[in-house]
Amino acid sequence: MSSFSALLKRDLRLAMRQGGGAGMAIGFFLIVVSMVPLGVGPDLNLLARVAPGLLWAALLLAALLTLDRIFQADYEDGSLDAIVMGSMPLELAAAAKSLAHWITTGVPLALSAPLMGIILNLEPRAIGPLALTMLVGTPAISFIGAIGAALTLVLRRGGLLTAVLVMPLYVPVLIFGVSAVKAAVSGPVPFEAPFLILAALSLASVVLSPLAAAAALRAALH
Amino acid sequence: MRLSGEDLACERGGRMLFSGLSFTLEAGQGMLIEGPNGSGKTTLIRAIAGLGRFARGHIALSGGVAGVELDEQAHYVGHADAVKPQLSVTENLAFWAGYLGGGDIGRALDAFGLHPIADLPAQVLSAGQRRKLALSRLALVPRLLWLLDEPSVSLDRAAQQTLAGLMAAHVAGGGLLMASTHMDLGTVFSKNLRLGAVAA
């Protein structure tokens, strides 16, 4: 367990020192969201109706941009070799790095979403459910994203391929995240139904994704 | 304690680099891996470290720590330094000590005399200093088998002597050592492994 926390702490520290991590993702999030009223026009009712879906889609895009930092630097500077040779299973190492990505990117994005909601005339009573669903759904984004990041490790400029590989896997998260917010605002489905499925998606990806990511890492090194 | 490889073959990009390679290495022996560029030295060392695959053959370690994989008893220092530029020298070592399961950071700093630069961020280090930091991992966490791929690159003459001393002490203490190098690193190597000549 000490290996796990050593790796987690190092990744958190690196993310804080090198900058451009969460800040860049939030900046991108803000820009995508603020493009929408400019393009669609100031129809407040329309904006309020599409706000939850747009915020979720923009969050996915912003998170996608940061996926390459999960493994890329460690692969390039040789750290990954030594990480593989540690006594901790590579699956746990992949989990530690995914967790660090969630803490440094997923959580800040989820917490900044209500602020972005103002731009889209998000209904006040949707703010709580939106932040909650995003906090619960973002682990799935980081952990599933780690699979894509590991698969495209050996390709230089693999960012676009990561998006193509990973985006389809985000569809369930998007659907249940948005429907939970909508259920909380307008019903008729109770909030819990889609919300619990979203939580289940997150938990399943936390358990299963590191297995796939570790297999992809081994393939990349061999 | 013995590391043995039998009928090893490696290929890269569909081309056979070497085949039919066998060796044994006993505790307290160092083996120098020689061969021209492109003959498969790095591929061989990485495959032994578990970072690559043999196309044929297998390696076995007998008499090591029971129930522990070979790659968890080995250090591999290759061309990449595995140094994080945003962390200080001490923080880099502290991470590896924590990750690899306990190590003496003071001893690792002593190994190459890194104390004066211990608090500098690694991004301001020269190539040679980064290499010293990478090699300090050898002294940080004791492991049975050292796999070194061109360890002396960008080291100054004094540091090469230090490295030779470290390797000699490791071998004298019953460790195993395999290294590829084009420089003269003293007399720690009692065995030789020649990889075939390949037309450049």
Side-chain angles (χ1 to χ4, degrees):
Chain A
M1 220 49 209
S2 67
S3 303
F4 187 89
S5 66
L7 187 56
L8 176 64
K9 272 189 217 145
R10 184 198 69 156
D11 271 26
L12 295 180
R13 185 176 283 169
L14 286 175
M16 261 173 298
R17 292 244 175 109
Q18 67 194 0
M24 196 71 90
I26 290 176
F28 182 80
F29 193 18
L30 176 66
I31 284 175
V32 171
V33 168
S34 56
M35 288 293 166
V36 176
L38 296 176
V40 176
D43 180 343
L44 289 180
N45 289 330
L46 177 67
L47 284 178
R49 213 166 55 241
V50 296
L54 275 174
L55 287 167
W56 258 99
L59 178 130
L60 290 182
L61 291 176
L64 208 53
L65 280 186
T66 62
L67 287 180
D68 64 333
R69 44 179 76 232
I70 301 183
F71 298 117
Q72 194 69 41
D74 278 341
Y75 176 71
E76 281 168 6
D77 70 16
S79 299
L80 198 58
D81 290 339
I83 287 174
V84 170
M85 292 173 73
S87 50
M88 182 165 75
L90 189 55
E91 286 77 8
L92 281 178
K97 296 187 73 64
S98 308
L99 182 60
H101 180 264
W102 177 64
I103 295 172
T104 56
T105 309
V107 173
L109 280 175
L111 294 180
S112 67
L115 223 55
M116 312 288 175
I118 297 171
I119 302 175
L120 296 180
N121 190 32
L122 184 73
E123 290 179 54
R125 59 197 165 128
I127 288 176
L130 181 80
L132 188 61
T133 52
M134 283 180 170
L135 267 181
V136 167
T138 38
I141 293 171
S142 291
F143 278 77
I144 293 174
I147 304 176
L151 280 172
T152 53
L153 207 50
V154 285
L155 309 170
R156 289 190 195 284
R157 314 271 174 274
L160 211 53
L161 183 59
T162 313
V164 173
L165 285 173
V166 162
M167 266 303 190
L169 299 174
Y170 284 166
V171 169
V173 180
L174 177 67
I175 290 175
F176 289 102
V178 174
S179 52
V181 179
K182 284 194 169 153
V185 176
S186 53
V189 192
F191 173 68
E192 284 78 20
F195 180 74
L196 289 179
I197 294 179
L198 180 67
L201 286 171
S202 260
L203 290 174
S205 64
V206 166
V207 176
L208 297 176
S209 300
L211 302 176
L217 289 178
R218 286 199 187 92
L221 287 175
H222 284 181
Chain B
M1 205 155 40
R2 168 196 287 174
L3 178 74
S4 56
E6 226 177 287
D7 190 28
L8 302 173
C10 271
E11 59 174 28
R12 195 164 168 80
R15 191 169 61 97
M16 198 60 93
L17 286 173
F18 55 81
S19 60
L21 191 72
S22 298
F23 68 87
T24 57
L25 191 63
E26 305 280 346
Q29 286 186 329
M31 180 180 279
L32 178 65
I33 302 171
E34 289 177 302
N37 296 138
S39 57
K41 301 186 291 294
T42 297
T43 308
L44 172 66
I45 290 178
R46 286 185 64 88
I48 295 172
L51 301 167
R53 280 203 196 94
F54 290 110
R56 207 173 49 241
H58 67 277
I59 50 167
L61 181 71
S62 61
V65 185
V68 179
E69 296 281 329
L70 170 62
D71 65 319
E72 292 165 27
Q73 303 186 49
H75 274 304
Y76 165 73
V77 179
H79 296 279
D81 288 327
V83 163
K84 284 290 164 199
Q86 300 92 345
L87 301 181
S88 74
V89 169
T90 310
E91 284 169 337
N92 266 294
L93 290 171
F95 163 65
W96 288 117
Y99 186 79
L100 297 174
D104 187 344
I105 297 171
R107 206 169 66 115
L109 288 172
D110 283 338
F112 282 94
L114 293 181
H115 276 293
I117 57 168
D119 294 324
L120 286 184
Q123 60 194 353
V124 304
L125 300 187
S126 74
Q129 288 172 319
R130 270 208 309 277
R131 188 105 277 246
K132 288 180 190 175
L133 176 53
L135 289 166
S136 297
R137 219 168 61 222
L138 298 171
L140 180 68
V141 181
R143 283 191 162 189
L144 192 60
L145 170 63
W146 288 7
L147 299 164
L148 311 179
D149 191 5
E150 296 286 352
S152 55
V153 169
S154 52
L155 291 183
D156 58 32
R157 197 169 292 275
Q160 287 180 23
Q161 294 297 322
T162 311
L163 174 62
L166 269 184
M167 295 196 302
H170 176 66
V171 167
L176 301 158
L177 168 71
M178 291 184 88
S180 74
T181 177
H182 294 296
M183 291 184 200
D184 183 19
L185 284 176
T187 53
V188 284
F189 300 111
S190 50
K191 286 196 155 186
N192 251 356
L193 191 64
R194 274 210 73 83
L195 296 182
V198 173

